[in-house]
């Protein structure tokens, strides 16, 4: 019987999630029914309320709206602490996806004399209470993954994550700092130890974004 109750609650969550996707503002009255057509128990209603809270975008998601739009950017990146900077330019298109739950960034430009394309997705996880991001591009076959927190006082999203490093093998770590300067400018910095095992952290990449007019 307990297994049946658990299965029922999971199914109810799935139905509710589908309803939110179809029409976020639709009344939930018809979904608040039990398996026998009666009202849900208090326990079931509490679980549905938690699911609704988890599925609903909030103020933390709205923060990402500050970088939604069309951008020109300039990139500087360094292979090591003392190496000269490589420079390139490109464009970024950042849009809302999944009804305001995530943003998607599509990048095009040049890198090391070659055409470059990239894609990133960022969102706020209401349950984990942190920002999550993934990044993939035409310069590799791995996927960068990171988490972060936003400071409203400094308008800075600070993160950390992992990426595949073919030069030393296995995974490397990075630290990132995204700062919203004003409505038309923001910056992104990435710090890592490069391909040196146990090396000292240095500024690996810096991107300056200017909103297109």
């Amino acid at each position: 019987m307990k297994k049946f109750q658990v299965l029922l609650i999971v199914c109810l969550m799935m139905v509710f999630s589908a309803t939110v996707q179809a029409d976020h503002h639709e009344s939930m009255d018809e979904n608040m029914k039990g398996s026998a057509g009666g009202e849900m128990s208090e326990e079931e209603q509490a679980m549905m309320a938690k699911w609704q809270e988890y599925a609903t975008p909030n103020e933390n998601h709205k923060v990402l709206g500050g970088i939604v739009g069309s951008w020109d950017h300039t990139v500087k990146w360094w292979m090591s602490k003392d190496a000269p900077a490589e420079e390139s330019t490109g464009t970024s298109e950042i849009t809302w996806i999944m009804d305001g739950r995530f943003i998607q960034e599509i990048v095009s430009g040049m890198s090391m004399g070659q055409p470059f394309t990239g894609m990133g997705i960022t969102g706020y996880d209401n349950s984990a209470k942190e920002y999550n991001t993934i990044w993939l591009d035409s310069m590799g076959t791995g996927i960068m993954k990171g988490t972060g927190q936003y400071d409203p006082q400094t308008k800075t999203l600070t993160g950390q994550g992992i990426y595949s490093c073919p030069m030393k093998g296995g995974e490397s770590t990075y630290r990132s700092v995204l700062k919203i300067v004003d409505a038309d400018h923001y910056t992104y910095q990435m710090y890592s130890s490069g391909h040196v095992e146990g090396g000292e952290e240095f500024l690996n990449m810096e991107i300056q974004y200017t909103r297109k007019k």
Side-chain angles (χ1 to χ4, degrees):
M1 185 63 180
K2 181 174 289 186
K3 290 183 178 180
F4 173 77
Q5 291 175 337
V6 171
L7 179 59
L8 172 62
I9 291 171
V10 170
C11 290
L12 288 169
M13 288 179 175
M14 292 175 67
V15 170
F16 172 76
S17 180
T19 302
V20 171
Q21 291 288 348
D23 184 357
H24 180 68
H25 299 289
E26 184 179 348
S27 169
M28 291 179 58
D29 290 344
E30 291 303 317
N31 294 320
M32 300 299 287
K33 302 293 184 181
S35 59
E39 294 298 322
M40 283 185 177
S41 68
E42 290 185 4
E43 181 181 5
E44 290 170 336
Q45 290 185 40
M47 293 191 70
M48 290 292 283
K50 285 183 178 295
W51 192 270
Q52 181 183 21
E53 181 181 3
Y54 172 67
T56 304
N58 56 38
E59 293 300 318
N60 295 295
H61 298 83
K62 291 180 181 179
V63 166
L64 299 172
I67 61 173
V68 168
S70 301
W71 304 84
D72 291 314
H73 66 252
T74 301
V75 182
K76 291 183 179 180
W77 67 279
W78 297 262
M79 285 291 290
S80 63
K81 183 177 180 179
D82 301 319
E86 296 280 345
E87 297 189 38
S88 62
T89 59
T91 60
S92 297
E93 294 290 334
I94 303 178
T95 57
W96 286 111
I97 60 173
M98 304 297 170
D99 300 320
R101 291 170 175 80
F102 303 90
I103 58 170
Q104 175 179 271
E105 179 178 10
I106 302 295
V107 174
S108 61
M110 299 291 292
S111 180
M112 301 179 67
Q114 302 177 44
F116 174 88
T117 57
M119 182 180 75
I121 295 177
T122 301
Y124 183 81
D125 186 325
N126 287 338
S127 179
K129 299 188 184 307
E130 64 185 9
Y131 289 88
N132 291 319
T133 185
I134 61 171
W135 176 263
L136 54 157
D137 59 48
S138 58
M139 297 296 288
T141 54
I143 299 178
M144 294 178 64
K145 305 170 187 177
T147 61
Q149 296 293 333
Y150 181 73
D151 181 356
Q153 299 299 318
T154 60
K155 295 185 178 181
T156 301
L157 176 58
T158 303
Q160 54 282 317
I162 57 174
Y163 66 96
S164 298
C165 181
M167 290 173 282
K168 70 178 183 182
E171 293 180 341
S172 290
T173 59
Y174 72 90
R175 180 171 62 90
S176 62
V177 181
L178 187 156
K179 182 175 179 59
I180 300 176
V181 179
D182 55 40
D184 296 322
H185 303 86
Y186 79 95
T187 63
Y188 177 88
Q189 293 178 321
M190 174 178 163
Y191 297 82
S192 75
S193 60
H195 61 276
V196 180
E197 186 70 42
E200 181 182 356
E201 180 187 81
F202 66 94
L203 178 60
N204 195 193
M205 181 172 62
E206 182 175 71
I207 310 176
Q208 302 280 344
Y209 290 83
T210 300
R211 189 181 297 275
K212 291 184 178 181
K213 297 296 187 179

